[in-house]
Amino acid sequence: MNTEHRYPPMRTDEIPPGVQEVILPSGERALAYSTGPTNPPPTPADPAAPTAQPIPAWAKTTALLTPTVGGGIAVAAVGLSAAAPGLVAVSHVLWSTVAAIATGGIVAAAVIGRVRARITAAQRPHITQHITATGLFGRANGTINHR
């Protein structure tokens, strides 16, 4: 019995990637998986020169703002270091001003209170009462004087 099957040879474009046609020691042709590339990838004959890409607007903006922001921070640091003694003096002046305002408010409240007491004391009526009673449960008699 003849079990030999003859198939027509396959074209190279029909063979899937990773598979190659091999000839066995008995002379038969067979398809086998390969461990490496069967055909090296074609190298381009003429590599194209890279084309220049346009720079995005956000990149331009960031590139322009970075030195400006950094310079502003540096100038602020130099200004604060130069102004530090003056800032300490200003804080002392502010605390002194707060203390003077508080003291002035307390003095003003005391003076206003005394002046009001004198004005109202002159206008206030003076009432005196004299009450007398005889005995523990006796009837009380008295006089009320308004001045």
Side-chain angles (χ1 to χ4, degrees):
M1 178 178 237
N2 190 357
T3 60
E4 187 177 320
H5 299 287
R6 301 298 275 170
Y7 295 106
M10 294 181 72
R11 296 188 318 249
T12 56
D13 61 335
E14 292 178 342
I15 299 175
V19 176
Q20 68 184 33
E21 187 177 9
V22 294
I23 298 175
L24 300 176
S26 63
E28 288 184 71
R29 293 180 178 201
L31 295 177
Y33 288 105
S34 64
T35 56
T38 55
N39 298 328
T43 57
D46 181 0
T51 59
Q53 300 282 335
I55 298 173
W58 64 267
K60 289 179 186 178
T61 305
T62 304
L64 291 173
L65 284 178
T66 301
T68 305
V69 172
I73 291 171
V75 168
V78 169
L80 281 176
S81 67
L87 292 176
V88 171
V90 168
S91 72
H92 289 300
V93 168
L94 288 175
W95 279 115
S96 299
T97 305
V98 168
I101 291 171
T103 304
I106 292 170
V107 168
V111 168
I112 290 171
R114 284 194 170 201
V115 169
R116 278 193 183 165
R118 284 189 181 173
I119 291 172
T120 56
Q123 298 171 353
R124 195 173 2 172
H126 187 72
I127 301 173
T128 57
Q129 294 180 353
H130 295 287
I131 301 172
T132 58
T134 55
L136 184 61
F137 295 106
R139 186 173 176 154
N141 292 321
T143 59
I144 300 175
N145 297 320
H146 293 278
R147 287 191 252 165

